[in-house]
Amino acid sequence: MVLQNIVILEDGVPARLHFADHSIEKRTITDPVSGRPGVRNVLVFEVDTLNGAPVVARFSTMAEKLAGLFEPYLREKTYTKFDFIITQLGEGFMRRWSVQAVPK
């Protein structure tokens, strides 16, 4: 997509990303079960390379499992020294991720 500014993972398709920066944002979302709005923390990465090509995009997650895989890299922004190969598998609450850190 020519104007892609948000990285959306495809089920079963590995994506190689390099992150330049990150933040924790608060977002109001509608709970799909209750239909009520609620505030959630979201881990947001600024992506500067996607599958080997330069981009200006964002990758975000509210999934505690996925965010936890990145936690060791958040301190001192050590993620900038790696590319991450992320593969998403499954749907909904059964979704899981494979994350591989590859030194730059």
Side-chain angles (χ1 to χ4, degrees):
M1 178 185 272
V2 175
L3 299 176
Q4 181 178 4
N5 60 0
I6 297 172
V7 176
I8 299 173
L9 300 176
E10 293 181 49
D11 194 49
V13 179
R16 186 172 183 142
L17 298 93
H18 182 264
F19 304 130
D21 202 2
H22 81 283
S23 60
I24 305 290
E25 297 180 1
K26 293 196 180 296
R27 292 190 188 161
T28 302
I29 64 156
T30 301
D31 185 290
V33 176
S34 70
R36 294 182 180 151
V39 177
R40 302 287 186 268
N41 289 326
V42 180
L43 174 60
V44 180
F45 285 106
E46 301 298 326
V47 180
D48 60 6
T49 307
L50 174 61
N51 296 325
V55 296
V56 177
R58 299 177 100 200
F59 172 71
S60 63
T61 184
M62 287 189 307
E64 191 69 34
K65 288 181 190 178
L66 181 55
L69 296 173
F70 292 114
E71 188 172 4
Y73 302 96
L74 298 180
R75 289 183 283 281
E76 299 178 27
K77 300 183 180 186
T78 57
Y79 52 78
T80 61
K81 298 176 183 176
F82 296 88
D83 280 349
F84 290 89
I85 300 173
I86 307 168
T87 307
Q88 174 181 286
L89 302 165
E91 296 180 8
F93 292 113
M94 299 303 292
R95 186 174 292 150
R96 61 192 191 285
W97 299 267
S98 166
V99 175
Q100 178 185 7
V102 180
K104 288 268 313 157

